[in-house]
Amino acid sequence: MTLDISSAPIASDTTDHAPPGPGSRARWAQDLSASVVVFLIAVPFSLGIALATGAPLTAGLAAAAVGGIVVGLCGGTPLMVSGPSAALTVITAGLIAQYGWRATCAITLAAGLLQLLLGARRVARTALAVSPAIVHGMLAGVGLTIAIAQLHVVLGGSPQSSAFANLLAMPGQLAGPHPPALLAGSVTVAVLLGWPRLDRLPGRAGEFGARLTKVPGPLAAVAVATALALALDLQLAHIELPAWQPHSLVPALPHGSLAGVLAAVLTVTAVASVESLLSAVAVDRMSQRTGDLDRELRGQGLANLVSGLVGGLPIAGGAVRSTANVRAGGQSRWASVMHGVWVLVAALALTGGLRRIPLAALAALVLVVGLQMVSFAHIRNVHRHREFPVYLTTLLAVVAFGVLWGVGLGAATAVLLALYRLTRAHVDVATGPDGSVTVQTHGPLTFTAVPRLSRALAGIPAGAEVTVVHDGSFLDHAAYETLHDWRTGHQAAGGQVSLVTRRQDDEVLDPDGTVRAGSSPGPHRCRAWTPWGGHHCIEQQEDPHGRLLDGVRVFQQHTAPLVRPELARLAREGQTPSQLFLTCADSRMVTSMITNSGPGDLFTVRNVGNLVPAPFEPGAADDSVAAAVQYAVEALEVRSITICGHSGCGAMKALLDGVHERPGSPTPLTRWLRNGRGSLDRLRRAPAEFADRPVVDLAEQLCITNVVQQLDQLMANPAVERRVEEGTLRLVGMYFDFATAQAYVLDRAAGTFSPVEARPDGDSAERVRSDARIPAAGSEEGPQLAA
């Protein structure tokens, strides 16, 4: 739902160059609140990254402050927060071991200069050409390397110089751990993993846990471990924050071969740039904004230049801090800038308190972060696109040989895999009962497939009627000549040959490009739900009414002859839908498309914000929705009611902006939006979550929380309540994300939304992932949803 609300948050960068003025107090307050949340995450995370690299711990705080302030002011993605990067941990540790700390600062400075040059050349988008399998494999390899090294610290020892050495030393470390360090590390891991689940405790404990979870998990974990160490007087190694010395801030030229130094600079530049740009794209998607990637690269370069000068770690855009910023309601770049200021204040004024933190607690924090870099969601996505060999090669090579070799071997694997697929083709020959022969080809037909194709064609009897069906993949000149020569010879011997191409949507095209009779609903190539803007059968014109009539004409010409028998049956028999589908009036919500339904399947009710007015709500009730619900439940006797929200809902954004509470005479829109006040209350009390990913921002969390609340308000309808209690009606919550074309369903028992997975080939139905159960309202459990 998209509403033109003038006071809604503005998704642009036009106001990010100056602090919000008096007219933007709400945005200023949200930026301030978000900056505090990100600061509380950044401090322990930055100290942990510095510990893992072997750099002075102040270097982590310096990088966090510089990343927040410099990139915040100069970057092209306003809501992204930059700082020390976990992906650069292994690289930085290797540079410190080889060249020393001050030389590493010089390499960071040089990498920043190179990033500035690349940003000025406007080549930022070329970094996005790197295969996602290589990027995710690199991150996973770095994460495993970090986790293996920090496990030694958690056990009370010291990490070795390489992942291989750490693995060899691990049995001895496990045989003799240091109990106090193991206790502090275990407590940190337990708090980190259990903290987000405190709100799921039963009764008042859950309410108290929901309030506690507002404190960031990393801060809580380190605080609990530190308090435990002080209370039990554990003999532990603590962090050491050296005093700032002027001479330590001056970078020193690295000693070594020029080629080695250049390789180090290029490695830091490449990894930091790719991670930052990919994070920027992800943050833009989360915040529904469009950033400037070249400006972002220049901002990252300037930050690395400054960080190298002041003795900080290499800097890159971070997904963890940026996600926290978006979820905390950050509105502009000033949230990142203020977070950097708070880090700087902490580094200068809170050194006494920071020195009490046990090293084992920070190591455990980084260990968990490292393991979380191995994302099973990324593995599934890579496997779905048949890129897992690239991912696995990159991961193993990063662990065994380092980031540079890992990325190189991953890229080589990607090239070899592409060449293999280019030369892979299948030729299947089938003979029908009448003696006709069908030759089907799968994959690109290149010169490498010519011998296989020739053998298959040579085995066809002379004079046979042959149909050659190509799947539409690449056909090079050698393969074309082979097919053409064989066709000429076969026809000269009295045979018949038809050459057709089967497109991916199963339409069969003759060589001239027309659709073969009987293979497609009609001669046009636009589906029934193709947007007008992309409908080649409709003349593009400025008059909306004319475009509408053109769409109707296309329906009458192509679709009406196909659906006329079914619609005639429905006209005779009346409607007998099995489901009531209540969703938003948003023009992007095409219910028949996302539910794969046809005429007569759904009884659909649409309104602004997919709201169900609660009875007796003063000034907000609306009988039209209640009447539709009552008619569907009592007259049509539907067996299921689905309430479906969606991403980017303007009604939810207006609720967050308080449009419904504005003083003065209420408009019909503001009166209607008052039906969402219960959703705002639930958002503060018990917000809904996704089972497999964090929410993008507060607006998305309200969108899914609104679905849960509207299901409860639906139960206030006496007809619905009676049918649910009888067990003859089921209530289902659903959410649709436009950006990813992904539907989610509500597991009412867990209070989370789980994705609906595409059905595997050969399966009979699309199913919700096995851990997503859809119980009816008021029941303990319910059957799994099957479309």
Side-chain angles (χ1 to χ4, degrees), residues 121-175:
R121 299 293 297 174
R122 307 186 68 83
V123 297
R125 290 198 173 271
T126 59
L128 304 181
V130 179
S131 168
I134 296 176
V135 175
H136 296 319
M138 179 198 72
L139 293 177
V142 168
L144 285 179
T145 304
I146 293 171
I148 295 169
Q150 296 310 301
L151 183 56
H152 282 277
V153 182
V154 172
L155 294 172
S158 300
Q160 306 300 313
S161 59
S162 66
F164 186 69
N166 281 318
L167 287 173
L168 290 178
M170 189 59 66
Q173 190 71 64
L174 291 171

Side-chain angles (χ1 to χ4, degrees), residues 1-3 288 529 531 583-594 606 646-651 653 703 736-739:
M1 181 65 211
T2 304
L3 300 176
Q288 298 182 351
W529 40 263
T583 188
C584 189
D586 193 294
S587 61
R588 299 166 294 179
M589 280 295 293
V590 184
T591 57
S592 60
M593 180 179 69
I594 66 174
R606 304 177 67 136
H646 65 87
S647 60
C649 182
K653 294 177 181 178
C703 288
F736 187 75
D737 181 58
F738 289 126

Side-chain angles (χ1 to χ4, degrees), residues 460-487:
I460 298 176
E465 181 180 347
V466 183
T467 301
V468 180
V469 182
H470 182 44
D471 67 356
S473 301
F474 179 71
L475 180 72
D476 76 352
H477 187 71
Y480 171 81
E481 288 289 347
T482 301
L483 273 173
H484 180 74
D485 293 344
W486 172 83
R487 180 185 188 184

